[in-house]
Amino acid sequence: MGDKRRRFDPEFRAGAVRIVSETGKSVAQVARDLGISAYTLHNWVQADRRQTGQPADGLNEAERAELARLRAERAQ
């Protein structure tokens, strides 16, 4: 009736996250290539970003500052 949860070893998880970060491919594309759920891979990428101190939104400081400036302009 119900499917069993698949378990992935830490090496597989780290490799999948590394593919996303190093190739610039989308999480959805990498997930399709690996045959896993995009939601699962997204969670792994977010967890890795939290552990390494990277912003979860994927923006660098300059992009974040520009976004804040544009939001402030729009609010006026």
Side-chain angles (χ1 to χ4, degrees):
M1 188 165 205
D3 293 328
K4 286 187 173 185
R5 278 182 81 169
R6 292 171 57 189
R7 300 282 179 185
F8 300 97
D9 60 33
E11 293 83 17
F12 180 84
R13 290 179 183 212
V17 169
R18 193 169 42 255
I19 292 170
V20 171
S21 63
E22 291 178 0
T23 65
K25 289 184 179 180
S26 70
V27 169
Q29 179 61 51
V30 173
R32 274 192 301 272
D33 293 347
L34 296 174
I36 62 174
S37 164
Y39 182 76
T40 297
L41 181 54
H42 172 76
N43 287 338
W44 296 348
V45 169
Q46 293 299 324
D48 181 68
R49 288 181 177 162
R50 282 191 301 272
Q51 289 175 345
T52 59
Q54 296 176 11
D57 59 12
L59 301 176
N60 63 35
E61 286 186 42
E63 292 167 333
R64 200 171 292 106
E66 176 73 4
L67 180 59
R69 184 186 65 76
L70 291 171
R71 285 178 175 167
E73 283 180 13
R74 187 171 182 205
Q76 292 177 355

